[in-house]
Amino acid sequence: CPWRIVDDVGGAFSMGAVGGGIFHLLKGSYNAPKGLSSRARGGVTALQARSPVLGGQFAVWGGLFACCDCSLTAMRQKEDPWNSIISGTVTGGILAARAGPKHMVTSALVGGVLLALIEGMGIMFTKMMSEPPPHMQHMQQDPTAPPTSGGYMPTATPIAPSSTTPPASPTE
C-alpha cells in the first residue's frame, strides 16, 4: 500500500497541475489587457503562478485520501466501496479542520457524498457493461439470424412434454 499512496499523490499532482494549468491559462488570458501578445503573456504568467499550487493542493487531497483508504483496508480486511466513501468523508473533514467544526462537518459530508456518487456510478457502469446472468442468456438470440426467426424476441418453451409416456424414473 505505500506504493499506492505515492502513486496516488503523483497522479493527483499531475491532474491538478495539468487541469489547473489549462484553467489558469484561459483565465489569465481572459483577464489580461487587449492584444494578442498581452493575452498570451497574461495566460502563461497565470499558468506559471497558479498551476503548481493547484497541483500541490490536489496532491495533498490524493495523499490523505490514499492514506485513509489504505488504513481502512488494513483495519477492515476487505476492499469495498465503503472504504472509499469513508475515506472521502474523513479526508474532507481533516482538510477543513482549521476552519472550525461546522465547516469540518460540512466538508466531510460533501466528501462522503461525492465519493458515494463516484462509487455508485462505477458500480452502475460495471453492471451495465458486464455480460447478462446465465438465466437471461436463453432469451437473447443470434443477432445475425434472419428477421423471420423473431429477432430478439424470446422463444416460447413448451410447458409440458409433448409425448404421453411417463418420464423414466432415476433408478432405472
Side-chain angles (χ1 to χ4, degrees), residues 11-23 47 50-56 58:
F13 177 82
S14 299
M15 284 190 293
V18 170
I22 293 169
F23 175 79
L47 180 140
R50 297 299 302 162
S51 179
V53 173
L54 197 59
F58 268 67

Side-chain angles (χ1 to χ4, degrees), residues 86-162:
I86 295 168
S87 296
T89 304
V90 170
T91 300
I94 290 173
L95 290 176
R98 294 182 350 170
K102 182 180 176 184
H103 292 287
M104 189 173 168
V105 169
T106 303
S107 293
L109 287 174
V110 168
V113 168
L114 183 67
L115 265 297
L117 289 172
I118 291 170
E119 289 292 325
M121 292 295 284
I123 292 169
M124 184 182 73
F125 281 126
T126 301
K127 285 188 177 184
M128 280 178 29
M129 298 300 170
S130 66
E131 301 227 357
H135 68 279
M136 296 292 288
Q137 287 180 351
H138 74 278
M139 295 182 73
Q140 293 181 350
Q141 291 191 2
D142 184 16
T144 60
T148 57
S149 69
Y152 287 108
M153 299 297 294
T155 58
T157 55
I159 295 173
S162 60

